[in-house]
Amino acid sequence: MVQPRVRVSKVRSRQHGIPESSSPPQSQLVHGAVMLIPGVLLYAVMKPYQKSDEEKRKVLEEKYGTMIQKSRENREAMQRHFDAMKSGDPAQDARVRNLLKQGKSSLARQHAYHGPDAASAASSTASSRGGDTSK
């Protein structure tokens, strides 16, 4: 006796929760529309009242003109500084060396030294400060 053949794809899709069609559920479409439509409406209402770029720039210049000028000057000064560092200008090199020394006669690096003679450096530092060298 021949058994009736059941459509395997529908049975498997029902068992595993796989939707039979490729279209999204209606609830997803409703939620998408609920979130999208107010934004589109708000944009459509507000677009005619938006200022052009020239009007915005004019308002900013009126309100914050001094701050904008200072920012431009600082940007130009920083660009000149980096250009001088790239060119190898001796005056700029001297300024950078002075900056690294922080006004001291030697380099301002104050970190712990862990080289081969670290013990002798630590004992000489401690003795010069009047501290105990037996640690």
Side-chain angles (χ1 to χ4, degrees), residues 15-32:
Q15 288 174 352
H16 299 291
I18 301 171
E20 293 177 15
S21 66
S22 62
S23 64
Q26 187 175 3
S27 63
Q28 287 180 351
L29 293 174
V30 170
H31 285 129

Side-chain angles (χ1 to χ4, degrees), residues 1-18:
M1 180 187 257
V2 177
Q3 297 232 352
R5 211 166 162 188
V6 178
R7 292 180 64 182
V8 177
S9 63
K10 283 190 174 185
V11 172
R12 285 188 182 157
S13 66
R14 286 185 195 141
Q15 288 174 352
H16 299 291
I18 301 171

Side-chain angles (χ1 to χ4, degrees), residues 57 61 65 67-77:
R57 180 166 283 131
E61 286 287 340
M67 294 174 74
I68 292 171
Q69 185 62 30
K70 284 181 186 178
S71 175
R72 285 183 185 145
E73 291 171 359
N74 288 340
R75 189 173 339 131
E76 290 169 0

Side-chain angles (χ1 to χ4, degrees), residues 11-56:
V11 172
R12 285 188 182 157
S13 66
R14 286 185 195 141
Q15 288 174 352
H16 299 291
I18 301 171
E20 293 177 15
S21 66
S22 62
S23 64
Q26 187 175 3
S27 63
Q28 287 180 351
L29 293 174
V30 170
H31 285 129
V34 165
M35 290 189 300
L36 185 64
I37 291 173
V40 170
L41 290 176
L42 185 64
Y43 178 77
V45 169
M46 297 299 290
K47 180 64 178 167
Y49 299 106
Q50 287 182 348
K51 295 180 180 179
S52 67
D53 288 342
E54 294 82 23
E55 292 172 340
K56 289 177 187 178

Side-chain angles (χ1 to χ4, degrees), residues 31-130:
H31 285 129
V34 165
M35 290 189 300
L36 185 64
I37 291 173
V40 170
L41 290 176
L42 185 64
Y43 178 77
V45 169
M46 297 299 290
K47 180 64 178 167
Y49 299 106
Q50 287 182 348
K51 295 180 180 179
S52 67
D53 288 342
E54 294 82 23
E55 292 172 340
K56 289 177 187 178
R57 180 166 283 131
K58 182 180 176 185
V59 169
L60 288 174
E61 286 287 340
E62 288 172 1
K63 288 186 177 182
Y64 307 105
T66 57
M67 294 174 74
I68 292 171
Q69 185 62 30
K70 284 181 186 178
S71 175
R72 285 183 185 145
E73 291 171 359
N74 288 340
R75 189 173 339 131
E76 290 169 0
M78 185 65 75
Q79 189 61 46
R80 283 193 306 270
H81 173 75
F82 284 124
D83 289 343
M85 285 180 70
K86 288 178 188 176
S87 68
D89 182 22
Q92 181 69 22
D93 290 341
R95 276 186 254 142
V96 171
R97 254 185 272 113
N98 209 13
L99 180 70
L100 291 174
K101 290 181 181 180
Q102 296 177 351
K104 299 178 181 157
S105 61
S106 64
L107 197 61
R109 186 168 180 244
Q110 303 290 325
H111 307 293
Y113 177 68
H114 299 291
D117 55 7
S120 64
S123 65
S124 67
T125 304
S127 63
S128 67
R129 292 183 185 161

